[in-house]
Amino acid sequence: MRTTVLFLFALVVSLSAKAFQVDDFQERYIDLVDKTFNKNEAYSTVAFVEKYFRVVGNEGFDASIYHVAKKLERAGFVKESAAKANDRLTYRIEKRALERKTWEPVSASLKLASGQEVLNFETNRNMIAINSFSTGGEKKYEMLFVGDAKPSQYDEFDMKGKVVVGSGSARMLFQEAVVKRGALGVMAYSIPSYNQPTKHVNSISFSGIGLNEEAKSFAILLSHKSYQTIKEAASKNQNEILLNVETRIYESEELTLVAELKGSKMPEERFVFSAHVQEPGANDNASGVGVLAEVAASSARLLQANQINPERTITYLFGDEIVSTRRYVQEDKEQAKGIKWGMSLDMVGEDTEKTGGTFLIEKMPDPGAIWVRGVEKHSEWGGRPLTKEQLKPHYFNDLVISVFKNIGEQKNWEVNFNPFEGGSDHVPFLQGDIPGLLLWHFTDQFYHTDGDRLDKVSKETMHNVGTGALVIALMLTENEDNLANMILLNTTTKATIRLQQEMNLSKSNIASGADKAIELDILNTWVDYYSKVFNTVLDTDPKNMEAFKKNLEESQSALATYANMLRSQLKD
C-alpha cells in the first residue's frame, strides 16, 4: 500500500496543478443542487403515481404522465409545439397507437365454497394477473390442485372446465392449462425467496399472462398464506371456490413524455435521463418518476436563477420501461449520435430500514462483471458472467460512483455498486454504444409485491439520489474548462486503487494454489480496460485539447509504468 500511496501522490501532484481537485470540483455542484432539490415535491409525485396499477396505456399510466407534465409546466417548461426559438425548457407528449389493448384491474375476491375469504383485491391488488378477463360476477368453480407438478406431468390430469392451482409461473400455467388443455382459469403461486414469503405471508408478486381474447380467461396470483389455504382445502377434497374478477380491457395509446433543458452551445449533444412509469409499485417505479420529475424542476429553477448554464442538452424521459428508451436511442439516428450519456432511475426512493438492501449503482460492463471477486458482488436479482468482448470501457462508472460516494460520506448514507446485470432502461443505451448505467436499490424484500407502497419510500433517499443524478448531469453538460482534467484525475486515482486491489487478490490466490497465468490475465484485463477508459475522456471535447492530450499521455505512461510494477510483484 505504501507504493500505491507514493504513486498516487505523484500523479495527483502532477495533475492537480492543471485541474480542480475532484472533491472541490464536485462540491460546488453538490452544494448547489442539494439546496435546490425539493424532496417534498418528489414525494408528492410518488404519492400520486403509486395510487395506480400502471400498465402502458391504462388510466393510471396516462394520469401519471399528465401529472408530471403539469408539474413541469409549473416549473417553467413549455410545450414544444408552442415554444419560441429562445425557449430552453420544453416538453412534448408523444402518442402512439398500442399494438394490443391495455388492461387495468377493478376488483376481485376469492373464497372457499364455505364462504371463507382467501383473497380480496381491496387488501391485495396484485392478486389479478395482468391481462386477465372478468368472470362476469361471482361464480362457483371446481378447482384442480396440481401443486409442484411439472408441465410434462399435466396430461395425467383432467383440467378441462376447471380452475387449475399450481406453483410456478402464471404465464406458463395459463398456457399449459387453459390454452392447451381447456381449463377455465388458473391460480399460481410463485414468489422469489428474496421476498421472504414465509415472513410476509400475504405478499403477492405481480405478473401477467398473454392477452388471449379467444379464451377470455384469467389467472389469480396467490400469496404464501392463500396458497397454503387452498392446498389444505384441496387435501380435504373441498374443491369448490367462489371467484369474482372484474377488469377493464380496451383500446388505447402509448404516451411518452420527453422534456428538455436545451444546451446553450452544443444543444445536439445531450445527457439523457430515463424513468419508466409502468409497474404498480411505489419504489418500483413511482420513486423514479418522482425523483426525475423533481430533477427536471430543480434544473429549471437553477436555470431561471442564472445559477447554471448547460452548454449541452439535458433530456428527461418518462415512458414504458426499455421500450421508450430504446425508441429514443434508435428511432432518430441523427439524434442518437448526440447522446453522450444515459442514466436510468429505477427504484431510487427506498427506506432501506424497511426494505433491506442498499442504494446501488449498476455499472457499465467492466472486468468486475467477468471476475466477480473482491469488492464486486452481484445483487440477488442476479447476473451472468460477461466476456472481454462485452466490456464497455468508460470513465462514467468511476465518475458516478465518486459523486455518490462523496454525497454518501456527507449524508451518512450507504452507497454501493454492483457489476452489470441488465433488465432496465440503461440497457438500450449500452446497446446503442452509449455510456449508460442504472441507479437503483436491492435487495428489496417488497420488490414487485403489494407491499411496495408509499410507506416504504424515504424522502431523504430521494433527495440524495436526485442530488447525485443532477450533479453528474450538470458537471457533464455545463462543460467547464477543467471538466476533462477533473475526470482524468478521478479516473487515474480510481485506476491506481483498483489495480492494486486486483494485484493483491491475485497474489493471495496464487499463494493458495491458483493458476498464475489466469491471475495475470485478470490483472492485464484491468490494465487494458483502464488504458481505454483514459482515452474516453476525450469525448468531453476538452477546451484546451493540446494541453489535455499532454496530461492524458502522462497518465497513460504512468499507468503503464505502474502496471509493469504490479506485474513484476505478481510474477515473483
Side-chain angles (χ1 to χ4, degrees):
M1 287 304 296
R2 185 171 179 271
T3 303
T4 303
V5 172
L6 291 174
F7 186 78
L8 267 173
F9 179 76
L11 282 177
V12 169
V13 168
S14 173
L15 284 171
S16 62
K18 307 157 188 170
F20 290 112
Q21 288 290 340
V22 175
D23 288 348
D24 290 344
F25 190 96
Q26 294 177 8
E27 201 61 45
R28 295 179 299 107
Y29 283 105
I30 292 173
D31 184 61
L32 184 67
V33 177
D34 186 61
K35 292 176 180 176
T36 304
F37 190 91
N38 189 325
K39 63 186 179 185
N40 293 318
E41 277 295 314
Y43 189 80
S44 71
T45 300
V46 177
F48 178 88
V49 173
E50 74 100 30
K51 294 184 300 185
Y52 299 99
F53 193 114
R54 305 174 303 279
V55 173
V56 177
N58 77 5
E59 181 181 334
F61 185 97
D62 292 356
S64 300
I65 289 285
Y66 285 114
H67 181 84
V68 173
K70 287 295 183 184
K71 176 170 183 169
L72 296 185
E73 282 187 352
R74 292 194 297 271
F77 287 81
V78 298
K79 285 186 178 179
E80 200 174 86
S81 58
K84 302 181 181 65
N86 60 346
D87 282 329
R88 295 183 65 183
L89 298 168
T90 64
Y91 81 91
R92 66 180 183 272
I93 296 178
E94 300 175 350
K95 300 181 179 181
R96 294 173 178 83
L98 280 175
E99 294 182 2
R100 56 183 180 276
K101 295 177 181 178
T102 191
W103 179 91
E104 63 187 61
V106 178
S107 66
S109 64
L110 170 64
K111 304 172 186 174
L112 299 180
S114 64
Q116 177 186 346
E117 185 171 84
V118 180
L119 285 174
N120 194 301
F121 182 78
E122 292 297 318
T123 54
N124 202 314
R125 66 178 184 177
N126 282 6
M127 68 175 286
I128 316 173
I130 296 170
N131 292 328
S132 291
F133 279 76
S134 300
T135 57
E138 185 175 79
K139 292 184 177 180
K140 184 178 288 187
Y141 294 91
E142 179 184 356
M143 68 174 180
L144 172 66
F145 188 87
V146 300
D148 297 330
K150 302 294 188 290
S152 60
Q153 300 171 296
Y154 284 176
D155 285 335
E156 299 173 13
F157 299 95
D158 179 12
M159 297 182 171
K160 190 170 184 179
K162 298 169 186 171
V163 173
V164 178
V165 185
S167 63
S169 159
R171 186 177 294 270
M172 177 278 294
L173 188 59
F174 184 89
Q175 180 67 22
E176 294 292 334
V178 174
V179 177
K180 293 184 179 180
R181 294 174 175 85
L184 295 181
V186 298
M187 296 195 293
Y189 173 70
S190 179
I191 302 179
S193 60
Y194 52 68
N195 288 140
Q196 302 181 42
T198 57
K199 175 183 177 182
H200 304 293
V201 296
N202 294 311
S203 282
I204 295 178
S205 300
F206 82 86
S207 65
I209 57 177
L211 183 63
N212 191 315
E213 298 203 67
E214 181 178 347
K216 287 186 167 57
S217 186
F218 56 83
I220 298 298
L221 307 174
L222 300 173
S223 63
H224 178 80
K225 182 179 179 180
S226 60
Y227 184 64
Q228 295 303 317
T229 300
I230 292 292
K231 183 178 181 179
E232 183 180 354
S235 70
K236 298 175 181 178
N237 292 320
Q238 297 172 2
N239 294 319
E240 288 190 335
I241 57 170
L242 299 172
L243 180 62
N244 178 37
V245 177
E246 184 180 355
T247 65
R248 295 182 62 216
I249 298 174
Y250 52 94
E251 300 285 351
S252 187
E253 58 189 0
E254 177 196 346
L255 303 183
T256 304
L257 172 60
V258 184
E260 290 192 330
L261 190 169
K262 189 180 296 182
S264 60
K265 294 184 178 180
M266 299 172 284
E268 72 286 351
E269 295 185 3
R270 64 191 70 230
F271 185 110
V272 179
F273 285 112
S274 183
H276 66 88
V277 178
Q278 98 293 347
E279 295 190 326
N283 277 309
D284 191 10
N285 187 37
S287 68
V289 175
V291 170
L292 184 54
E294 181 53 28
V295 163
S298 297
S299 307
R301 289 192 292 271
L302 289 169
L303 180 71
Q304 292 157 349
N306 295 317
Q307 292 181 284
I308 62 169
N309 183 27
E311 294 184 356
R312 299 181 172 106
T313 295
I314 305 176
T315 300
Y316 318 86
L317 185 65
F318 305 81
D320 185 11
E321 187 172 17
I322 298 180
V323 173
S324 295
T325 308
R326 180 185 294 127
R327 182 186 297 119
Y328 189 84
V329 169
Q330 294 181 355
E331 205 169 65
D332 187 330
K333 300 299 183 184
E334 286 303 311
Q335 174 180 270
K337 291 178 182 177
I339 303 174
K340 297 179 74 70
W341 310 275
M343 180 176 284
S344 170
L345 277 60
D346 189 356
M347 300 171 62
V348 293
E350 309 242 345
D351 182 336
T352 55
E353 290 187 4
K354 294 179 180 178
T355 64
T358 181
F359 171 70
L360 292 170
I361 300 159
E362 181 164 314
K363 300 184 295 176
M364 298 169 58
D366 68 3
I370 302 176
W371 298 284
V372 184
R373 64 182 199 165
V375 296
E376 300 294 345
K377 181 182 178 182
H378 274 300
S379 76
E380 285 190 80
W381 198 86
R384 57 182 176 80
L386 301 186
T387 65
K388 293 180 184 180
E389 290 72 28
Q390 293 173 297
L391 299 183
K392 300 282 187 181
H394 202 272
Y395 60 80
F396 202 34
N397 279 349
D398 286 323
L399 177 64
V400 173
I401 292 171
S402 173
V403 169
F404 275 102
K405 286 286 190 181
N406 192 345
I407 295 171
E409 289 173 4
Q410 294 182 34
K411 303 286 184 121
N412 192 28
W413 172 54
E414 186 176 359
V415 172
N416 287 307
F417 57 82
N418 66 280
F420 176 77
E421 294 176 353
S424 193
D425 280 308
H426 56 317
V427 174
F429 293 116
L430 296 172
Q431 290 173 336
D433 204 26
I434 297 165
L437 42 69
L438 168 69
L439 307 182
W440 71 314
H441 283 77
F442 223 67
T443 297
D444 177 353
Q445 58 190 310
F446 302 106
Y447 171 67
H448 276 191
T449 75
D450 52 293
D452 182 11
R453 301 265 60 85
L454 189 61
D455 65 305
K456 311 302 189 307
V457 175
S458 163
K459 292 181 182 180
E460 295 306 321
T461 300
M462 290 195 294
H463 190 164
N464 294 341
V465 176
T467 297
L470 183 51
V471 164
I472 292 156
L474 291 176
M475 286 170 57
L476 293 171
T477 58
E478 281 221 292
N479 197 32
E480 290 192 5
D481 290 350
N482 276 304
L483 173 66
N485 282 324
M486 183 281 294
I487 294 174
L488 182 60
L489 176 58
N490 183 67
T491 304
T492 301
T493 304
K494 302 305 180 185
T496 306
I497 294 171
R498 188 54 186 258
L499 294 181
Q500 178 74 55
Q501 290 172 338
E502 293 299 325
M503 193 279 292
N504 290 340
L505 283 168
S506 288
K507 198 165 187 177
S508 176
N509 289 346
I510 291 170
S512 299
D515 188 317
K516 185 178 291 188
I518 292 176
E519 297 300 323
L520 186 59
D521 181 50
I522 295 173
L523 178 61
N524 285 335
T525 301
W526 275 104
V527 172
D528 180 65
Y529 168 82
Y530 268 112
S531 179
K532 293 174 180 175
V533 167
F534 281 2
N535 288 329
T536 65
V537 184
L538 289 167
D539 77 8
T540 62
D541 299 322
K543 295 190 174 180
N544 189 338
M545 184 64 78
E546 185 175 343
F548 175 76
K549 283 186 175 180
K550 183 178 179 182
N551 293 339
L552 180 60
E553 288 172 4
E554 290 177 0
S555 295
Q556 292 279 27
S557 176
L559 177 72
T561 300
Y562 186 54
N564 286 333
M565 181 181 67
L566 294 178
R567 289 189 190 101
S568 65
Q569 292 182 41
L570 200 58
K571 292 175 181 178
D572 290 341

